[in-house]
Amino acid sequence: MNSHSSKRYLALSGGVGGAKIVLGLSAVLRSEELTVVANTGDDFEHLGLHICPDIDTVLYSLADWSNKELGWGQAEESWTFLGALKRLGGEDWFSLGDKDMATHILRTQMLRSGASLSEVIEELRIKMRVAHRVVPMSDDRVRTEVHCKKGGTLSFQHYFVRERCKPEVSGFNFLGVKSAKPSPGFLSALSGSLNAVFICPSNPFVSVAPILKIPGVLERLRAVKVPIIVVSNIVGGEAIKGPAAKMMTELGMPQTALGVAKHYVKQYGDLITGFIIDTADAHLEKEIVDLGLETIVTKSVMVTLKDKVALAEEVLAFATTLEA
């Protein structure tokens, strides 16, 4: 039992950065109090397998299976399969560990047998003994494309992993999003009673945008009339993880937490009510408040489990102060 009992929270998450705060939230909220919706725009088909990088990162983190050094994949991983693939001249640019392969093979088998992605993720969640609900943003296929200033358009994993984020970006497209529907678990969370929605410190362009661009999601989020709080993914001018800061520069945006706040206000108007920044960005607080956002300054860089739990407690306390 804890002080947050009988409340309901929804977290929208990408991969590594999102998984950190989700782990913190899971430590202080009971299983029925938290639903995590993970981005599936990064999903792709590789070597005949259906791979869900963000969902797997969240599940592995909650199961305590994750490789804490890399921030992705499984702990105590081996790479025999990848080495054998390379020896045969196969595509080895995307690192698939031996343990990780089991997840992808099982998921692909289930999908080919007619299961929905939601059903597959629920089965994996139970097998991994993850208590809190983790659901995909949609059961429909949505694929993120990155428009590059030179070299045309790349699928997200080709940009992110194969090209190591080197091409300059000019924009993004989400194939299939216009006809996608929120997953049953996402709809259920949006339809029930909620106390707050958290947008994790994930990339706003390629992790959060695909979730919010699913038709009907913004309307439903506005309808729930609860605090919607963003945790800035930029601290001290740098991305916590991934290429967000580089993308901001290439898109002509200030590479700061203020730049992130302005992006959310510009894209989603009054949907966002709260914005959390790190102590390193305390000097930006007034300008963020001037955008119409309630703001708190706290330590948001999460290295240890203690850091993750502390930030989760801060976020929950902030949400309580914003509740009508």
Side-chain angles (χ1 to χ4, degrees), residues 117-275:
L117 185 58
S118 287
E119 291 168 338
V120 174
I121 300 312
E122 181 66 2
E123 181 75 12
L124 291 173
R125 181 186 73 83
I126 292 167
K127 296 292 187 188
M128 294 181 195
R129 297 183 179 177
V130 170
H132 295 75
R133 193 101 190 268
V134 178
V135 301
M137 67 184 197
S138 179
D139 285 341
D140 300 313
R141 180 189 166 107
V142 178
R143 297 293 181 263
T144 299
E145 292 184 323
V146 181
H147 298 310
C148 305
K149 292 179 181 176
K150 293 180 182 176
T153 298
L154 294 173
S155 63
F156 180 76
Q157 295 300 337
H158 281 186
Y159 162 80
F160 185 61
V161 180
R162 194 182 67 185
E163 302 301 324
R164 300 180 182 180
C165 307
K166 289 176 182 175
E168 285 190 50
V169 305
S170 58
F172 311 96
N173 183 47
F174 308 105
L175 283 175
V177 77
K178 290 180 181 177
S179 59
K181 298 179 181 67
S183 69
F186 193 3
L187 272 178
S188 176
L190 287 170
S191 302
S193 61
L194 279 173
N195 291 85
V197 178
F198 305 128
I199 297 179
C200 297
S202 300
N203 187 310
F205 312 111
V206 295
S207 296
V208 178
I211 301 174
L212 297 181
K213 283 187 178 292
I214 296 172
V217 166
L218 289 178
E219 292 79 3
R220 287 175 180 272
L221 284 171
R222 284 197 168 88
V224 294
K225 298 187 186 303
V226 297
I228 298 180
I229 299 168
V230 174
V231 181
S232 179
N233 64 305
I234 298 288
V235 172
E238 296 183 5
I240 297 295
K241 189 78 178 176
K246 176 179 179 288
M247 288 175 171
M248 291 175 78
T249 300
E250 292 164 3
L251 294 169
M253 299 166 58
Q255 191 178 308
T256 63
L258 177 61
V260 177
K262 285 182 174 177
H263 168 77
Y264 275 104
V265 170
K266 181 180 178 183
Q267 290 292 315
Y268 309 111
D270 59 358
L271 179 71
I272 311 300
T273 48
F275 196 82

Side-chain angles (χ1 to χ4, degrees), residues 260-323:
V260 177
K262 285 182 174 177
H263 168 77
Y264 275 104
V265 170
K266 181 180 178 183
Q267 290 292 315
Y268 309 111
D270 59 358
L271 179 71
I272 311 300
T273 48
F275 196 82
I276 296 176
I277 58 174
D278 190 80
T279 49
D281 296 313
H283 60 287
L284 299 173
E285 182 180 10
K286 183 182 183 303
E287 289 179 89
I288 293 171
V289 170
D290 288 344
L291 295 173
L293 298 173
E294 296 284 342
T295 306
I296 61 167
V297 180
T298 188
K299 182 178 181 291
S300 67
V301 178
M302 297 167 283
V303 179
T304 65
L305 178 60
K306 186 177 178 181
D307 294 336
K308 294 162 191 169
V309 173
L311 182 58
E313 289 281 20
E314 287 266 18
V315 169
L316 289 165
F318 184 38
T320 301
T321 67
L322 295 181
E323 284 184 46

